Amino acid sequence: MQQQRSRPEPSSAAAHTSVLGSLPRTHPAALALMVLVVVALSSLIIGLIQAPVAAAQGDGSDTSGATNETSKPWTPSAETQTVRILGIGEFSGALARPVGFQGELRDASGNVRPAGGGPHLATTVAKLRAQAGDALLLATGDSIGGTAPETALLDDRPTIEFFNHIGVDGAGIGRRELHKGAEHVTSLVKPSCQTEQECRVDPPLPPFRGAAFPFVASNVIPSYDSAPTFPFAIHRVGDVQVGVVAVTMPSDTVPETTTRLADPMRALDDTVETLQFLGVEAIVGLVQSTAVHDNLDPGACPEQLTEMDLVKNLNSSVDALIVGASGGPATCRVFDTENDERVVVAPASHGRSVTVVDLAIDPETGHVIRPQTSVFNQTVNLNTEPDVATEELLRQARAAAAPAAREQIGEASEPVPHAMDANGESPLANVIADAQLHAARGRGAQLALSNPDSLRADMPSGPLSYADLHTVQPYGDRLYTVTVTGEVLQKAFDLFADDIGKHGPAVSNNVRFTVDMNQPEWSRVTELTIDGEQVDPNAEYTVVVNEFLSSPEWNGSPFAEHGTRHETGLTDISALSRYVSDEGPLSAPKPGRVTVLR
């Protein structure tokens, strides 16, 4: 259960224009016609404006080892134009490099190395841009919503400023944007302030003017209370046009928001058809999904990604797909439904890598020449010079967030240590489990499990602030409820029992279990009770766990493979904040939730 795995200057060289479609809520037939009218008029107006692409300098290398084989021959009508597409996914407000696995990737030698952080991400993007001259930078979604004080306590404004600085050309919508709500996304796109003083909401940060890029979401159902998104974007890069479509995978297991989602496959088909009617043949797709794999190798292609229904059945006219998922990177070449090769790439979350897709486009036809498309995943290494402007933005954001970060939420009557005793019990991890059950009781949770190695420090005694809690638990994992049978729950405890005395697990105060280390693996938990009752293999139980324990990042977790999984809309730190406020002053719980026989 171990959580630790081990605005730039304009360039005269390239320019692009963006044509955006905006859809009102109406009948589908009339909707399609309105799209065409709106976009046609937009093309005439916006096509006269050129927005500079950010220039930069540096180098990168193709480590994908990808093949150029394809099933379709091609005869060029003219010399092709290369358009570089850069992708980042699930940035989660990671201006500073996160601790633990969220700030690490595996290198070519198989070693896990530190990676990510805003200053080095900015440098990496600049270098990759400088190599190409013509480039677009896209974000798949889940860009906001991290728990670091410098972004969480400033309502994600520093994240948007950072995206403006590195020249993001478009961003998808993910779970975090949906959970934050349409009003919040609107405030990031178009702040309500009018004057310089009104816009200066976070001194010493400069006045906040909003996103300089559009949010693109092809399957958002337009309405007066939905997030302000466009169904597609058209970018002119050099002599060619590139269309961008984006979807977020809908789910009936997430908290309801005012932004509703349509079927992603149908939405993509309709949007692609519209783009082709407008003469756009080169199309890049973005998709924001939940965690699908635990890969840490930027050059690998995990089967879990290629087996996704959307990846296998995606409209064949989409020439490249960038998948954002809470997990590691991936670099794949798959065959589409027309048996033509297509690149599918996933950037690592939290700014640890940048996907690079070099599209070869025939300028006469506008078609992508897929056999000539190259792709790789560039790790955001720390051996480059960090971007000075981003470092200054981070410094200013931390200073601006400091007053709110120091406000008292609750208190602890004594220090609560995170170290484990001989039975593998951590007093602080027990507090975390209690906090998560406290927060999720109203969502049907009956017990909680947490992993102690997500904790980075003891909880201090005295007044407790957001900064204190973030120091203790900095990952910002989302919480899920998972309903499983007692049999599956028993299997989960048997699996986690192998970590007793090392990494956990920790359980809420209403759970007791006995581990007999003399028994074979997978049968060491000899007794398991909830609220004093023995677990019934045939009954159903709802457990609240963090994202790590319920996703493929925890290899083989029964909570990832079985049961019904629901997002709670909570994070680990929000649950802890609520518990500290409601139940304080806190003290170290007495041991005895687990008994280990040796």
Side-chain angles (χ1 to χ4, degrees), residues 76-80 239-240 361-367:
S77 58
E79 184 178 352
T80 61
D239 297 327
V240 300
I361 301 177
D362 184 339
E364 287 194 12
T365 66
H367 285 280

Side-chain angles (χ1 to χ4, degrees), residues 225-562:
D225 57 355
S226 65
T229 62
F230 296 95
F232 60 84
I234 302 174
H235 299 271
R236 177 165 291 280
V237 185
D239 297 327
V240 300
Q241 292 185 114
V242 177
V244 177
V245 296
V247 294
T248 294
M249 302 303 292
S251 172
D252 58 4
T253 68
V254 301
E256 185 177 351
T257 71
T258 59
T259 301
R260 291 169 291 280
L261 302 175
D263 176 75
M265 300 295 287
R266 182 172 180 178
L268 282 177
D269 288 343
D270 293 343
T271 308
V272 166
E273 185 176 354
T274 300
L275 285 171
Q276 291 178 323
F277 179 86
L278 296 169
V280 179
E281 297 293 343
I283 300 175
V284 176
L286 307 176
V287 58
Q288 186 61 31
S289 180
T290 55
V292 294
H293 64 88
D294 59 354
N295 173 57
L296 281 178
D297 181 355
C301 178
E303 183 179 350
Q304 298 99 315
L305 182 66
T306 59
E307 289 301 310
M308 290 176 61
D309 286 341
L310 187 140
V311 172
K312 292 192 295 184
N313 300 314
L314 180 67
N315 190 297
S316 60
S317 295
V318 176
D319 297 293
L321 183 64
I322 304 175
V323 180
S326 53
T331 306
C332 303
R333 289 179 180 269
V334 301
F335 287 98
D336 63 22
T337 56
E338 297 294 327
N339 203 35
D340 198 7
E341 192 179 68
R342 172 167 54 206
V343 297
V344 178
V345 286
S349 64
H350 299 83
R352 290 175 290 162
S353 77
V354 180
T355 58
V356 183
V357 179
D358 287 330
L359 299 176
I361 301 177
D362 184 339
E364 287 194 12
T365 66
H367 285 280
V368 171
I369 314 307
R370 295 192 186 178
Q372 294 187 12
T373 296
S374 64
V375 58
F376 62 97
N377 225 312
Q378 178 62 55
T379 298
V380 177
N381 294 306
L382 305 191
N383 59 358
T384 58
E385 287 295 323
D387 177 62
V388 175
T390 302
E391 288 186 316
E392 176 61 15
L393 171 64
L394 179 56
R395 185 196 67 78
Q396 292 175 341
R398 283 173 168 166
R406 290 194 296 263
E407 288 182 2
Q408 182 174 346
I409 297 173
E411 62 179 309
S413 59
E414 61 180 353
V416 183
H418 74 291
M420 295 181 186
D421 62 19
N423 285 342
E425 273 195 85
S426 159
L428 183 53
N430 286 347
V431 167
I432 299 300
D434 291 343
Q436 293 176 0
L437 179 59
H438 174 77
R441 277 279 196 191
R443 293 165 173 81
Q446 298 167 273
L447 69 154
L449 275 169
S450 71
N451 51 313
D453 54 340
S454 68
L455 306 176
R456 311 301 296 181
D458 296 343
M459 182 177 287
S461 62
L464 296 174
S465 65
Y466 186 94
D468 294 323
L469 302 188
H470 188 265
T471 299
V472 165
Q473 188 174 238
Y475 287 98
D477 277 355
R478 287 172 279 202
L479 298 184
Y480 293 81
T481 57
V482 186
T483 301
V484 296
T485 64
E487 181 181 6
V488 172
L489 186 63
Q490 177 77 41
K491 288 181 178 179
F493 272 84
D494 280 327
L495 172 64
F496 299 151
D498 289 336
D499 273 343
I500 288 294
K502 301 176 183 177
H503 309 294
V507 295
S508 50
N509 191 36
N510 63 331
V511 178
R512 297 291 184 272
F513 67 103
T514 300
V515 179
D516 187 346
M517 300 303 291
N518 298 308
Q519 299 299 317
E521 291 185 4
W522 289 96
S523 59
R524 289 175 175 168
V525 177
T526 57
E527 185 177 9
L528 175 59
T529 64
I530 301 172
D531 295 321
E533 298 289 334
Q534 189 71 30
V535 167
D536 181 351
N538 299 312
E540 287 193 335
Y541 299 88
T542 299
V543 55
V544 57
V545 290
N546 63 20
E547 186 171 13
F548 178 75
L549 291 182
S550 64
S551 78
E553 289 180 73
W554 171 238
N555 187 30
S557 171
F559 298 134
E561 300 173 355
H562 302 281

Side-chain angles (χ1 to χ4, degrees), residues 5-36:
R5 314 290 184 215
S6 12
R7 209 157 296 209
E9 292 299 317
S11 167
S12 60
H16 70 274
T17 60
S18 300
V19 180
L20 308 170
S22 180
L23 303 182
R25 189 177 186 181
T26 184
H27 188 276
L31 184 61
L33 179 60
M34 293 178 70
V35 172
L36 302 182

Side-chain angles (χ1 to χ4, degrees), residues 30-47:
L31 184 61
L33 179 60
M34 293 178 70
V35 172
L36 302 182
V37 173
V38 169
V39 176
L41 291 175
S42 301
S43 299
L44 293 175
I45 297 171
I46 304 177

